[in-house]
C-alpha cells in the first residue's frame, strides 16, 4: 500500500467511526512484509488524525519476520499480535512450509520472542480435518509453551469453478456467487468436517475446563458463554448479521468481508469513497445471513448462539436449502457444553470465579466469602 493510500485509509477510517475507541486490524498475506517503517508511518498518521479517539491496533502474522525491533515497536505502541501457529511440528509441518520445508521453528521462535519481550499476543490455530483427531496433543502443546490466549479457526474451502479459476481464484466463493451443482461445491478433502470439528472443540473444552478456566482464554468458548448469557457475539461468525468487518486491499479497494474478497463483493475504494458511503452500500449486499437460514437452523435450539455460522461455510443440499458445513459440529459442541455454561453463569452471577465450575458440577459447592472474587 502506498503511503498516500495509507494516509487516506487511516483518515477515512477514523472519521467513519462513531465510537471512542477505533481499532485497526492489520492482516495479509503477511503484513510484516510491508516493513517496520510502514507501520511506524501508520502509527504517525493515526496520531495525526485521532483527535479525541483512542486508537488500538491488532496484527496477524506467521512470525517469520519478527525480531527485537518489531517486538519493541509492538510493545511501545500497544499492538495486540496474533501469531499463526497450529500445534506441534509433526502436525502442522504438512501445511505450513516455505520452499517445501517446515516453518515451525520460525513460528515457535516468534512465540518465545513475543513472550520474552512482553508483547500482548494470542495464537490463531487453524483446524483441518486431520487436526481434529489430535485435540489433546494440540492443547498440551499450547499448555507446554504457556500460551494463554487461543482462537481455533476451522478451515472450509472448495475448489474454484472454471470461471473462478480463470480470474485467479484459488478457492470457490461457494453459495454466494457460484451457480455450480452440489458436487462441484463439495469442500476440499482437508476441509474440516462438521461433526469432527464439534468433537474437536468439545475435546479441547473438556481439557480446558478441568485445569485452565481463568488461566487460559479460548475465544471459541468465551463467545459461547457471552451469547449464552444474552450478550451480542464478539465475532462476526456467530453474529445475527454480517457486515461489521470490511476488508481493505493495498490499492484501497473495499470488500464486504475478507472471506469474500471477490469482484462481486467490492463496495468502493477509500481513495474516492467515504467508509460511511461504503457502509450504506453494504446494507444492500446480497450476502444476507438471516434471510438464507435453512429450516434446520430456524428450528435449532442453539440458533441464538450460532446464528447459522459464516455463510461462506454454507453449501447447497439436495433439499434445495443451504446448510452450514459445520452445523452438526456447532450443535454437538453447544449441546455438550450447555451444562457447563449454565454452571458458569450461576457462579458468575453470585460473584464466584468460573474456576469453581468443576466443583459445582461434581456436587454441592459450598460458597463462602473466602472463595468469592
Amino acid at each position: 500500500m502506498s503511503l498516500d493510500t495509507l494516509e487516506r485509509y487511516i483518515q477515512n477510517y477514523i472519521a467513519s467511526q462513531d465510537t471512542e475507541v477505533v481499532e485497526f486490524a492489520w492482516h495479509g498475506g503477511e503484513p510484516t512484509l510491508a516493513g517496520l517503517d510502514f507501520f511506524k508511518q501508520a502509527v504517525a498518521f493515526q496520531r495525526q488524525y485521532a483527535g479525541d479517539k483512542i486508537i488500538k491496533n491488532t496484527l496477524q502474522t506467521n512470525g517469520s519476520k519478527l525480531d527485537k525491533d518489531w517486538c519493541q515497536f509492538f510493545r511501545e505502541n500497544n499492538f495486540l499480535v496474533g501469531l499463526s501457529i497450529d500445534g506441534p511440528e509433526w502436525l502442522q509441518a504438512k501445511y505450513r512450509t516455505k520452499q517445501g520445508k517446515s516453518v515451525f521453528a520460525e513460528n515457535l521462535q516468534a512465540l518465545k520472542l513475543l513472550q520474552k519481550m512482553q508483547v500482548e499476543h494470542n495464537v490463531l490455530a487453524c483446524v483441518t480435518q486431520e487436526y481434529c483427531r489430535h485435540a489433546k496433543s494440540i492443547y498440551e502443546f499450547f499448555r507446554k509453551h504457556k500460551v494463554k490466549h487461543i482462537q481455533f479457526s476451522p478451515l472450509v474451502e472448495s475448489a474454484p469453478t472454471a470461471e473462478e479459476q480463470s480470474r485467479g481464484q484459488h478457492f470457490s466463493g461457494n453459495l454466494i456467487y457460484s451457480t455450480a451443482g452440489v458436487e462441484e461445491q463439495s469442500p476440499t478433502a482437508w476441509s474440516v468436517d462438521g461433526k469432527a470439528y464439534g468433537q474437536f472443540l468439545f475435546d479441547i473444552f473438556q481439557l480446558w475446563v478441568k485445569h485452565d478456566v481463568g488461566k487460559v482464554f479460548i475465544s471459541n468458548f468465551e463467545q459461547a458463554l457471552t451469547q449464552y448469557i444474552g450478550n451480542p457475539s464478539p465475532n462476526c461468525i456467530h453474529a445475527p448479521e454480517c457486515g461489521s468487518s470490511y476488508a481493505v486491499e493495498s490499492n484501497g479497494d473495499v470488500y464486504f468481508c475478507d472471506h469474500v474478497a471477490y469482484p462481486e463483493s467490492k463496495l468502493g475504494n477509500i481513495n474516492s469513497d467515504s467508509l460511511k458511503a461504503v457502509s450504506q452500500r453494504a446494507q444492500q449486499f446480497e450476502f444476507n445471513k438471516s434471510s438464507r437460514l435453512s429450516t434446520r437452523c430456524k428450528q435449532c435450539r442453539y440458533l441464538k448462539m450460532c446464528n447459522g455460522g459464516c455463510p461462506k461455510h454454507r453449501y447447497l443440499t439436495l433439499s434445495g436449502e443451504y446448510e452450514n458445513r459445520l452445523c452438526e459440529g456447532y450443535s454437538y459442541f453447544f449441546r455438550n457444553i450447555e451444562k457447563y455454561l449454565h454452571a458458569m453463569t450461576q457462579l458468575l452471577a453470585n460473584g464466584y470465579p468460573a474456576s469453581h465450575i468443576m466443583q459445582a458440577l461434581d456436587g454441592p459447592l459450598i460458597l463462602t466469602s473466602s472463595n468469592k472474587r
Side-chain angles (χ1 to χ4, degrees):
M1 181 179 283
S2 71
L3 293 184
D4 285 343
T5 299
L6 175 65
E7 181 175 10
R8 291 191 189 100
Y9 162 57
I10 289 173
Q11 182 182 19
N12 196 334
Y13 184 58
I14 292 174
S16 73
Q17 302 302 303
D18 298 323
T19 55
E20 180 184 2
V21 178
V22 179
E23 184 169 320
F24 288 80
W26 305 96
H27 286 244
E30 175 50 48
T32 59
L33 291 174
L36 184 53
D37 287 343
F38 175 88
F39 286 97
K40 287 181 178 178
Q41 186 61 65
V43 169
F45 285 142
Q46 289 172 347
R47 289 171 180 160
Q48 179 180 344
Y49 295 109
D52 296 329
K53 295 182 178 178
I54 298 170
I55 306 297
K56 292 187 176 182
N57 289 280
T58 65
L59 182 142
Q60 187 65 37
T61 177
N62 59 30
S64 61
K65 298 295 182 182
L66 297 194
D67 57 20
K68 290 184 179 180
D69 289 339
W70 273 106
C71 288
Q72 183 175 343
F73 169 80
F74 291 146
R75 189 180 63 212
E76 291 176 349
N77 293 282
N78 300 312
F79 271 61
L80 169 62
V81 177
L83 180 66
S84 299
I85 183 170
D86 308 325
E89 182 172 20
W90 58 266
L91 189 59
Q92 78 157 36
K94 179 178 179 180
Y95 298 100
R96 294 195 184 273
T97 62
K98 182 168 61 179
Q99 297 176 340
K101 296 182 179 179
S102 170
V103 295
F104 176 82
E106 289 182 355
N107 296 157
L108 189 60
Q109 183 180 6
L111 174 62
K112 297 306 177 184
L113 187 59
L114 290 167
Q115 293 172 337
K116 181 180 179 180
M117 299 283 289
Q118 297 181 322
V119 176
E120 187 179 3
H121 64 280
N122 56 36
V123 159
L124 176 64
C126 291
V127 183
T128 68
Q129 180 65 8
E130 183 180 359
Y131 288 9
C132 288
R133 300 193 294 270
H134 306 288
K136 184 177 180 181
S137 295
I138 291 171
Y139 190 65
E140 286 180 348
F141 168 83
F142 289 133
R143 290 192 80 207
K144 174 184 175 182
H145 292 287
K146 301 178 181 178
V147 174
K148 301 299 183 184
H149 297 268
I150 310 169
Q151 176 184 347
F152 291 105
S153 181
L155 297 186
V156 180
E157 294 288 356
S158 305
T161 63
E163 178 185 350
E164 290 171 329
Q165 206 167 9
S166 69
R167 65 188 191 189
Q169 285 181 219
H170 296 289
F171 301 111
S172 173
N174 289 0
L175 70 96
I176 313 155
Y177 310 116
S178 176
T179 57
V182 176
E183 185 176 348
E184 287 184 278
Q185 287 187 313
S186 297
T188 60
W190 45 262
S191 290
V192 70
D193 170 74
K195 186 174 183 180
Y197 181 61
Q199 184 66 62
F200 171 84
L201 285 180
F202 185 52
D203 288 346
I204 296 282
F205 184 90
Q206 288 179 293
L207 295 168
W208 169 80
V209 81
K210 289 181 179 178
H211 308 290
D212 296 321
V213 175
K215 301 174 186 177
V216 175
F217 303 90
I218 300 177
S219 64
N220 309 70
F221 306 159
E222 292 181 341
Q223 172 269 320
L225 178 60
T226 295
Q227 291 190 254
Y228 183 80
I229 62 178
N231 291 328
S233 171
N235 65 50
C236 60
I237 292 175
H238 294 296
E241 294 292 348
C242 299
S244 61
S245 301
Y246 305 138
V248 181
E249 293 291 347
S250 59
N251 65 352
D253 285 346
V254 183
Y255 293 87
F256 185 79
C257 167
D258 68 343
H259 280 192
V260 289
Y262 306 124
E264 296 89 343
S265 68
K266 181 180 173 182
L267 301 174
N269 186 289
I270 52 104
N271 289 299
S272 56
D273 303 294
S274 73
L275 283 172
K276 288 189 176 181
V278 166
S279 178
Q280 291 175 346
R281 290 175 200 158
Q283 293 174 13
Q284 278 74 51
F285 193 65
E286 292 181 4
F287 192 37
N288 190 299
K289 223 173 170 179
S290 59
S291 67
R292 293 189 178 187
L293 288 175
S294 67
T295 302
R296 179 181 179 182
C297 273
K298 292 175 183 177
Q299 297 174 348
C300 179
R301 65 176 292 178
Y302 302 110
L303 178 59
K304 289 185 178 180
M305 294 176 66
C306 176
N307 286 303
C310 178
K312 178 65 161 40
H313 298 157
R314 296 181 189 176
Y315 289 82
L316 185 65
T317 65
L318 294 175
S319 67
E321 293 189 302
Y322 290 102
E323 294 278 2
N324 194 302
R325 163 81 168 179
L326 304 177
C327 177
E328 189 176 359
Y330 286 142
S331 177
Y332 177 87
F333 174 62
F334 293 137
R335 182 170 65 252
N336 279 281
I337 68 169
E338 190 169 13
K339 66 177 182 180
Y340 298 93
L341 297 181
H342 179 73
M344 285 184 184
T345 302
Q346 295 300 308
L347 288 166
L348 294 172
N350 288 284
Y352 295 88
S355 56
H356 286 55
I357 182 173
M358 294 309 294
Q359 292 173 264
L361 290 168
D362 290 341
L365 175 62
I366 301 174
L367 301 177
T368 69
S369 59
S370 63
N371 58 18
K372 262 195 174 185
R373 268 188 208 176

